[in-house]
Amino acid sequence: MLTRYMLGALASRTGDEMSGPALLVAGLAVTGSPVLASSLLAGLTVSAAAGGPLLGVVLDRTRRPGRVLGWCLVGYGAGLLVVLAGLGRLPDAALIGVAVLTGLLGPSLNGGWTAQLPLVVGAGRLPRANALDAMSYNVAALAGPALVGVIATVAGGEAAVVAGVVLLVAALPAARVLPAREERPGKPGAVREELAAGFRAIAGNRALRRATVTSMVSMAGTAMLIVAAPLLGLRLAGDAGYGALLLAVTAGAALAANAVIARAGALRTGRQSSAGVARAELRWDSAMVVSTLLIGVGTLVAAVAGSFAVAVLAAVVVGVGEGPQLTALFAVRHREAPERVRGQVFTTGASLKITSFAAGSALAGPLVALSPGAALLAGAGVQLLAVAAYGLLSLPRPALEGPTPYGPDEAADEEAQSG
């Protein structure tokens, strides 16, 4: 079952990673309008902030979350095809509207799958499965844009969009056979109440709260690195394409780091006691800090790099931080998310990171216009802010706040953190 899950999740995520760049290329090729092309990409991503929490409620309410994921795959693919068919034929506003509606389903293609992982594997196999799941994000981030580039060069941007939809469809069989969960006792509350419960679960649990905020702030810094990479490649190697190579190096290093984690997790699972596994799980909280610091160090080195070789080294350091950071984030969510709102924790987290990425990209634009080094220095500073946020959110809350309806109270969380 894990193998089928991994194949489905990888196909879904790769199709998701292809969708934005493919629409951008297709829109520019068909209409010749960079404004429309960028607007389609923005519409596809910006609406994820609203779609994530709502999708989480739906996933948490149903006994067959795989079927919901299947319908989301169909809806997302259909939306991409409608935009593709309407390029040059429908008004720009209508196409952007379709892209926005399609983007509402975006969080289901990543966080929606990850939330179902405990249904696929038992608790003893979850650490290794979690690392493998994080690896699928790294593979998708590496393969998606590369596939768009190759397919668009050979057959055009429209073919790249179709190829992305084909991958989404290929994930359908795996989604349909995901295990069912136990029936939820009692009647579900109103959607507004369910949404509030999901946000309370994140805000009221120290580990979830700080992991979510840390990853959000860090994602804004990562966006600055991505925006600056092409100009950094141009400055150091004379071609913006070398910037894409730096991003590929980062994705490859992240994949390698998570492969090591998955291998180590498989070895530990076979010989550790349950208490040892619990202590290892709690170490993921510290791993969030260390990995975020590594991303910041790598970004800083890239900012001051005087040669392309040094920039490659910086990209490796960033990747070695990015891979474990994602694994650590998922490990904390799997450990702390209450079953009743698990889907919301993952899809809301995905939405928040997408929104943070958009904000970081917007801030990076004016800085890159000054110099890629300025944007990279800002990105390194944002990573330090993420570490500072983790530290601040680790401080104990006032005692009068008491426990939250979902998740452990602060006293229990404090006891767990002390091991």
Side-chain angles (χ1 to χ4, degrees), residues 6-18 69 73 76 106 108-110 113 140 164 167-171:
M6 289 300 305
L7 291 174
L10 179 58
S12 172
R13 289 161 185 162
T14 304
D16 182 31
E17 290 287 347
M18 291 180 68
L69 291 178
L73 288 167
Y76 196 88
S108 68
L109 307 182
N110 37 69
W113 281 81
L167 281 175
L168 296 176
V169 173

Side-chain angles (χ1 to χ4, degrees), residues 190-259:
V191 171
R192 183 174 60 183
E193 295 172 356
E194 297 283 313
L195 287 171
F199 281 104
R200 284 200 304 270
I202 296 174
N205 179 293
R206 176 182 297 169
L208 280 177
R209 182 171 65 243
R210 66 189 177 192
T212 299
V213 173
T214 301
S215 65
M216 275 183 61
V217 178
S218 178
M219 180 57 70
T222 299
M224 294 180 174
L225 171 64
I226 292 174
V227 172
L231 287 180
L232 181 65
L234 180 64
R235 179 169 68 84
L236 296 177
D239 190 330
Y242 282 92
L245 178 60
L246 291 175
L247 297 179
V249 169
T250 296
L255 177 61
N258 275 338

